[in-house]
Amino acid sequence: MTAPIRENLSGVDLRAEIDRLRKERNAVILAHYYQKPEIQDLADFVGDSLELSRKAAETDADVIAFCGVKFMAETAKILSPEKIVVLPDLDAGCSLEDSCPPEQFKRFREQHPDHIALTYINCSAAVKALSDIIVTSSSAETIISQIPEDQKIIFGPDRHLGGYMNRKFGRDMLLWPGVCIVHEAFSETELLKLKAQHPHAPVAAHPECPPYIVDHADYVGSTSGILQFAKSFEGDTLIVATEPHIIHQMEKALPEKNFIGAPGADGNCNCNICPYMALNTMEKLYLALRDLEPRIELDEELRLAAKKSLDRMLEMASGTVGKGDVGDRAAAPSA
């Protein structure tokens, strides 16, 4: 098999060309908080995945360039079927999505017919179509609180978010065994060392983190929630236990404060950079806008089935989108 020929873009002013193509294509550029700073800085919107898709749907853009991962771009296509949606690198996937193949999830559901499926948005469109309600880390608490305690629930694919909700609500949801490789990489030992060095610094953690990280957090929330906490906490130093590129937005908003990425097992946070998010580059964004490839295409029947579970989430918890708050750690009992 012949390797693909790479274009030499060394003489191209990528920022200027991206701006030109953005106007020419009537495109909106979305960047997740986990993207590289140079991509965040040129995006029209920076935020969490569903929040970005909803904002793009409200625009009159003909093209959505989603600098994130594939399930996020699929969500944008679900909400904006009439728009062209491009993803700079089609290999930008997600370990949570990979952990939950649709055919396996379908069989699992069939084995538990008395359960409804609450499914984290970090999954494929096909798994969304097999689900009853999609949840985000910002909406999970609101949605679970509305479901009768005697209703059995499958929660997937993130067992850490599901486990956190089980502990918080005293539920016994059946958890799919998926994890986020980024949040799984944090080290409790190294975090405790860092806390000892900064005894007055609170810890803000994403609920995709394992319990041994969440249990040391002063605040638990999604990327948007952590960013809001960074703007409101008292003190000058915050330890951040999520993908470290969120710190770029914190430093822009609060240059007077100090933000420290929680360390991995090697004592630094390099291992916690999402390898999938890192596949998107300025060069690939330029090419995606120029060529309108690679595109996200969804079968209409699949799109409508997936949209049904997303719509159900918005009916139950629309006010949570973009808030990212799943509550203070103090409110949740220990594992």
Side-chain angles (χ1 to χ4, degrees):
M1 182 176 177
T2 305
I5 298 173
R6 292 179 60 87
E7 288 192 44
N8 183 359
L9 301 176
S10 59
V12 177
D13 184 338
L14 292 170
R15 179 61 189 261
E17 283 299 294
I18 288 169
D19 283 338
R20 178 183 67 81
L21 287 166
R22 177 182 356 219
K23 297 184 181 70
E24 186 177 299
R25 300 295 195 192
N26 188 28
V28 60
I29 299 174
L30 310 178
H32 191 270
Y33 288 127
Y34 296 167
Q35 288 294 292
K36 297 170 183 134
E38 60 264 31
I39 291 179
Q40 292 187 39
D41 288 345
L42 63 77
D44 296 290
F45 300 107
V46 180
D48 278 332
S49 60
L50 180 57
E51 174 191 10
L52 289 171
S53 292
R54 293 185 82 200
K55 284 182 176 178
E58 293 170 356
T59 72
D60 62 358
D62 297 314
V63 175
I64 299 172
F66 208 129
C67 297
V69 296
K70 188 177 179 183
F71 82 80
M72 299 179 183
E74 283 188 342
T75 302
K77 187 65 175 178
I78 290 168
L79 297 185
S80 299
E82 76 288 355
K83 301 182 191 298
I84 294 170
V85 178
V86 295
L87 181 68
D89 193 316
L90 206 56
D91 289 330
C94 171
S95 59
L96 283 167
E97 177 182 345
D98 292 344
S99 79
C100 192
E103 63 278 5
Q104 292 183 24
F105 189 70
K106 183 175 185 291
R107 287 198 299 270
F108 189 69
R109 288 222 60 185
E110 290 169 349
Q111 292 166 9
H112 303 280
D114 55 345
H115 288 59
I116 63 170
L118 266 58
T119 308
Y120 191 31
I121 196 168
N122 295 39
C123 65
S124 66
V127 168
K128 288 181 176 68
L130 292 167
S131 303
D132 294 294
I133 310 169
I134 296 302
V135 302
T136 63
S137 49
S138 58
S139 66
E141 179 177 349
T142 300
I143 287 170
I144 291 170
S145 67
Q146 296 176 55
I147 296 174
E149 292 186 9
D150 60 354
Q151 172 62 61
K152 295 180 180 180
I153 299 170
I154 291 170
F155 190 98
D158 188 344
R159 65 182 174 91
H160 291 320
L161 175 58
Y164 178 75
M165 290 295 144
N166 270 346
R167 299 194 302 277
K168 182 157 190 173
F169 286 94
R171 302 292 291 238
D172 187 26
M173 295 187 295
L174 188 58
L175 306 180
W176 186 269
V179 297
C180 167
I181 57 172
V182 171
H183 293 94
E184 186 85 350
F186 290 116
S187 165
E188 181 181 24
T189 300
E190 295 299 328
L191 176 60
L192 291 174
K193 289 179 184 177
L194 191 60
K195 283 171 63 71
Q197 295 169 19
H198 304 276
H200 301 297
V203 175
H206 197 286
E208 290 177 25
C209 291
Y212 56 78
I213 298 297
V214 169
D215 286 349
H216 297 293
D218 300 278
Y219 174 84
V220 180
S222 82
T223 45
S224 291
I226 290 172
L227 182 57
Q228 292 304 313
F229 180 75
K231 295 175 180 179
S232 63
F233 82 99
E234 295 182 3
D236 58 8
T237 301
L238 178 66
I239 298 170
V240 181
T242 190
E243 212 275 0
H245 282 120
I246 183 65
I247 292 175
H248 178 60
Q249 292 297 321
M250 297 175 180
E251 291 175 340
K252 285 175 65 175
L254 303 153
E256 73 282 3
K257 292 190 176 184
N258 183 34
F259 301 101
I260 306 171
D266 62 352
N268 63 58
C269 61
N270 291 338
C271 61
N272 299 322
I273 291 174
C274 178
Y276 299 105
M277 291 281 187
L279 290 175
N280 296 309
T281 64
M282 294 279 284
E283 291 84 358
K284 291 174 185 175
L285 173 59
Y286 159 69
L287 292 172
L289 285 170
R290 188 192 72 181
D291 302 337
L292 296 181
E293 295 285 349
R295 295 192 193 191
I296 300 296
E297 302 287 1
L298 293 176
D299 173 81
E300 182 64 4
E301 184 177 353
L302 173 65
R303 186 191 73 82
L304 290 173
K307 186 175 183 293
K308 186 176 179 181
S309 61
L310 278 168
D311 287 343
R312 185 65 178 138
M313 185 205 79
L314 295 172
E315 289 169 11
M316 297 176 74
S318 62
T320 66
V321 176
K323 301 291 174 57
D325 187 359
V326 296
D328 294 328
R329 173 62 206 154
S334 300

